Amino acid sequence: MNEQSSVYWVGKSKWELDTPCLAIELDLLDANLAEMHRFVTARAKQLRPHTKTHKCSTLARRQMDVGAVGVCAAKASEAESLIERGVQSVLITGPVATPFKAERVAQCVRQAASCAIVIDSTDGARLLHQALKIQNLKMPVLIDVNVGQERTGINPEEALPLARDISKLATLELQGIQAYAGHVQHMSSFEARRNASLKALQLAVDVFHRLRGAGFSCEIFSGGGTGTYDIDVAVAELTDLQVGSYTLMDAEYRGIGSRQSEEKFETFRPALTLLSSVVSVNQKGFVTVDAGLKAMYRDGAAPLVLGRGGELIYDWSGDEYGRISVAQSVDSAPASLPKLGEGVELMVSHCDPTVNLFDCFYITQNDVVVDVWPIDLRGRSQ
């Protein structure tokens, strides 16, 4: 999107936007940011939110302005983009395994000395050490501990030997651990999720004390997620939370149980919506909209039609299209389908990969476009 087209939309109703597109209601976003900051700081924790959710340096800076101690990036390329745009305190939450990737990380450190990364192997640590040594740099690192997700992270019993290996590498400064129980974030039952998360994090707590007992400096214990934010703060050793989806929210998170309700998670509101338009009304029983698989990531909960009292439902209809039909109900008269050209607003199924499909967010207040934010980390998957 060029600057001229960005300026063109400011001041117009969001219902005039060319669809499909992503909109963020600014007041809801700011309320989400404020509520998470309030909750976490009241419990003497810090925020290190994940930018992989929104892929937007403007939003990352907004999170820092609210009080985040830093931000997280899933990949080195995300960290590069954040640093280039003035966000200096970045934790890369995935390990490196190739010389070229280690060189990219070293370049990040050259531009931002506070840039940190997780490590889950001695070989990875040595690769990073060599890249940093060539440039005469040092870097803060955390040990990534596998607490049950079985994705990245070293097994807890192997963390102390890894710490000893890291201590032999002069370019690496061990500052603590990371532990992310991603496998429990969307468990539907709040009580089951609470038990599973606390059990998983206890593995990391044991590692944390083992490292400290062996004389290693462990000042940071970073982890947690949106689905367990109000659970994980009970872990005394945890220092900061890597929450991500709380900023935008999606139907997948809305459908899990919460401390307040076993059916819905509504502490954080859906600041992000996808705007779509009816493009065909020729079929019986449904209308066709211009948002399909290329506009919304399919995995996760079904997208929700907003502003219609739950009377309309969305279903997929291929790469480019979706269907809007009337929900079956015996309690009220059937709702009417939207007309040709009419706009429909959807809560997306899974915000992170959906955001990665678009170039910008249209920022709205009271349904009027007030700004356009580039999704400038889009496609940064390396």
Side-chain angles (χ1 to χ4, degrees):
M1 148 154 289
N2 59 46
E3 185 64 25
Q4 184 178 3
S5 57
S6 299
V7 172
Y8 173 79
W9 292 111
V10 173
K12 296 184 182 295
S13 167
K14 72 178 184 182
W15 299 109
E16 297 180 56
L17 288 167
D18 196 19
T19 61
C21 64
L22 294 180
I24 293 178
E25 177 58 36
L26 188 60
D27 292 342
L28 292 183
L29 171 67
D30 284 344
N32 289 346
L33 299 185
E35 173 57 23
M36 181 63 82
H37 181 261
R38 181 203 64 77
F39 182 89
V40 170
T41 55
R43 288 151 182 83
K45 307 296 184 185
Q46 294 180 310
L47 281 177
R48 201 182 298 269
H50 227 304
T51 59
K52 68 182 178 67
T53 293
H54 52 71
K55 293 275 193 174
C56 176
S57 63
T58 303
L59 209 165
R61 289 192 295 272
R62 206 172 188 90
Q63 290 173 301
M64 294 291 291
D65 290 344
V66 171
V69 68
V71 298
C72 292
K75 301 292 183 66
S77 57
E78 286 183 350
E80 288 171 345
S81 294
L82 287 165
I83 292 167
E84 288 170 2
R85 290 160 176 81
V87 182
Q88 297 284 298
S89 183
V90 182
L91 170 64
I92 303 170
T93 59
V96 298
T98 64
F100 185 77
K101 193 63 64 69
E103 290 172 12
R104 292 186 75 167
V105 172
Q107 287 298 324
C108 288
V109 179
R110 178 166 292 284
Q111 296 178 63
S114 58
C115 181
I117 195 170
V118 304
I119 289 174
D120 72 353
S121 72
T122 296
D123 287 344
R126 288 172 178 161
L127 277 174
L128 189 57
H129 166 69
Q130 290 300 323
L132 293 165
K133 184 178 179 181
I134 291 171
Q135 300 193 47
N136 194 31
L137 297 169
K138 291 187 176 182
M139 184 177 197
V141 299
L142 306 180
I143 291 177
D144 187 16
V145 182
N146 173 28
V147 293
Q149 190 169 20
E150 310 295 342
R151 189 170 65 185
T152 64
I154 196 164
N155 292 330
E157 64 273 14
E158 299 169 351
L160 183 54
L162 176 57
R164 292 184 175 127
D165 289 341
I166 291 172
S167 70
K168 299 172 186 176
L169 304 174
T171 63
L172 305 182
E173 300 175 340
L174 181 60
Q175 292 191 352
I177 65 172
Q178 169 185 275
Y180 176 54
H183 57 298
V184 311
Q185 295 300 315
H186 294 99
M187 292 177 69
S188 59
S189 165
F190 177 80
E191 190 61 24
R193 191 164 71 252
R194 187 184 75 84
N195 293 336
S197 188
L198 293 178
K199 181 179 179 180
L201 287 185
Q202 186 59 47
L203 298 172
V205 169
D206 294 342
V207 169
F208 190 77
H209 288 299
R210 203 175 303 140
L211 293 176
R212 281 192 163 184
F216 291 101
S217 174
C218 278
E219 301 302 321
I220 298 173
F221 181 164
S222 186
T226 296
T228 58
Y229 84 101
D230 56 350
I231 297 167
D232 300 338
V233 290
V235 177
E237 293 81 359
L238 189 75
T239 59
D240 58 70
L241 270 70
Q242 296 183 2
V243 286
S245 296
Y246 78 101
T247 53
L248 305 180
M249 294 303 287
D250 55 34
E252 187 173 24
Y253 263 121
R254 183 184 180 278
I256 65 174
S258 65
R259 192 178 294 273
Q260 293 76 27
S261 167
E262 270 301 313
E263 297 180 354
K264 294 179 182 179
F265 178 30
E266 296 183 306
T267 305
F268 304 101
R269 303 287 300 282
L272 175 75
T273 58
L274 185 138
L275 299 176
S276 183
S277 299
V278 177
V279 294
S280 182
V281 296
N282 296 324
Q283 308 305 316
K284 185 177 181 180
F286 66 88
V287 296
T288 300
V289 294
D290 59 3
L293 292 170
K294 289 182 182 177
M296 282 189 293
Y297 189 72
R298 185 167 187 169
D299 284 357
L304 298 175
V305 181
L306 300 176
R308 301 277 183 156
E311 296 177 331
L312 299 181
I313 57 175
Y314 173 93
D315 197 10
W316 309 94
S317 189
D319 291 347
E320 313 294 348
Y321 303 106
R323 294 179 177 181
I324 300 294
S325 57
V326 176
Q328 298 298 317
S329 175
V330 297
D331 298 327
S332 60
S336 60
L337 288 167
K339 297 177 175 58
L340 185 68
E342 189 173 345
V344 176
E345 191 168 25
L346 302 169
M347 185 192 304
V348 303
S349 51
H350 186 180
C351 53
D352 300 37
T354 296
V355 165
N356 201 45
L357 298 172
F358 288 85
D359 292 325
C360 69
F361 296 119
Y362 293 96
I363 310 303
T364 66
Q365 283 184 299
N366 299 317
D367 289 350
V368 175
V369 179
V370 296
D371 206 351
V372 182
W373 294 353
I375 302 174
D376 45 12
L377 277 62
R378 177 192 179 187
R380 306 297 198 272
S381 301
Q382 298 77 30

